[in-house]
Amino acid sequence: MQSVSRPRPPVTAAPPPLRLRRWVGFTVLGESLGFLIPVTAFAVAAALGLSAWSAWGVLVVFGAGEGALLGLGQALGARYSRAEVPIGSWVAATAVAASVAWAIGMLPSTLADLGAEIDWASPATWAIAAPAALALLATIPLAQRPLLARAGVPGSWWWLPINMGAWLVGIAFTFLPSPWVDETTPAALTFALFAVAGVLMATTVAVLTGLGLRAMLRNAGTRPAVGARSGNGGE
C-alpha cells in the first residue's frame, strides 16, 4: 500500500529584531508631543488660578494624554519586530499608568501649595517618599509587562528595572527649567523650556529602553507570523 505523505505546514519567517532607530524615533516623537499636554495643563491651571487640588486633578487627567502618545509611539516603534504588541491595548495601559504616575508625582507640590510643611530631613518623610517614588517609576512598566509577555517577549519582568532606571535618569531633565521659571516667567518661555526638557527626557528614555528591549529579545526564539499570532491564520 502506497503511503500518502502529508503536506508540511508552511514555514513562516520570524519577525526581525527590534530596530533601535525606529523605536527611538517613534518613542521620542510620542513622548515629546505627549509631554506638552501636561505642560499645557500646568500653564492653563496657573493662568486660571486653579486651587491646588483642582490643578492636581487637571494634571492627572492630562497626564493620561501624555501616556497615550507615549504608548502609541512605542507600539509603532515595536511594530514588525519580535516585540510587536497590540496598539490599542498598549496605548490604553500606558495612558492609565501615566495618569497614576502624575497623581503620585504631583502630591508633594500640591501639599506644599496647601501649606503643608514637608520635612525632607525627617526619616519618616523618606519612609513614605521612597516607596512612593518607586511606585511612580514602576507604574508604566507594570502596566505594559503583561502585554510584552503575551506577545512572547522573553524575560518580560526585566521590563520593570529597565524602565525604572531609564525614567529615573530621564525625569531628571524635567527639573532643568526650574531655576528659570517662576510666576513672572512668560507663558511662551515656560512652554519652550519645558518642551526642550521633554525632548531630552524622551530621548534618554527611548534610547535606554530600546537597548534594554533589544537585550531581552536576544534569547527570543522563532515566533509565528503576525497573522498566526492574532488567530487569523493569515486568512
Side-chain angles (χ1 to χ4, degrees):
M1 183 176 179
Q2 186 177 4
S3 61
V4 179
S5 60
R6 295 180 181 179
R8 295 182 178 180
V11 177
T12 56
L18 184 75
R19 300 186 189 95
L20 187 59
R21 281 186 295 182
R22 178 186 175 94
W23 171 269
V24 171
F26 275 107
T27 301
V28 169
L29 179 62
E31 172 58 20
S32 298
L33 294 177
F35 187 65
L36 296 180
I37 297 177
V39 168
T40 302
F42 180 82
V44 170
L48 296 178
L50 296 181
S51 66
W53 282 119
S54 295
W56 177 85
V58 168
L59 285 164
V60 169
V61 172
F62 278 63
E66 177 193 7
L69 288 182
L70 168 63
L72 178 60
Q74 290 177 326
L76 292 176
R79 205 172 183 189
Y80 310 120
S81 76
R82 296 177 187 173
E84 183 172 353
V85 291
I87 294 178
S89 299
W90 188 270
V91 169
T94 310
V96 172
S99 183
V100 174
W102 274 96
I104 298 172
M106 288 300 299
L107 276 178
S109 60
T110 301
L111 294 174
D113 290 341
L114 291 171
E117 294 184 4
I118 302 176
D119 182 9
W120 292 106
S122 170
T125 299
W126 284 103
I128 298 173
L134 291 176
L136 185 154
L137 294 172
T139 50
I140 289 178
L142 267 178
Q144 294 174 336
R145 190 211 67 83
L147 297 172
L148 282 179
R150 202 174 305 159
V153 176
S156 59
W157 278 107
W158 280 105
W159 191 237
L160 270 73
I162 289 170
N163 268 265
M164 292 174 71
W167 282 105
L168 183 62
V169 177
I171 286 176
F173 287 105
T174 63
F175 296 102
L176 290 179
S178 298
W180 296 278
V181 175
D182 55 28
E183 294 80 2
T184 63
T185 306
L189 179 58
T190 300
F191 189 88
L193 289 173
F194 277 101
V196 172
V199 171
L200 294 174
M201 175 184 68
T203 304
T204 302
V205 172
V207 171
L208 294 179
T209 55
L211 292 172
L213 187 53
R214 284 186 68 178
M216 290 166 59
L217 291 169
R218 284 174 188 160
N219 296 326
T222 302
R223 295 174 58 194
V226 174
R229 294 205 308 270
S230 63
N232 296 330
E235 294 179 4

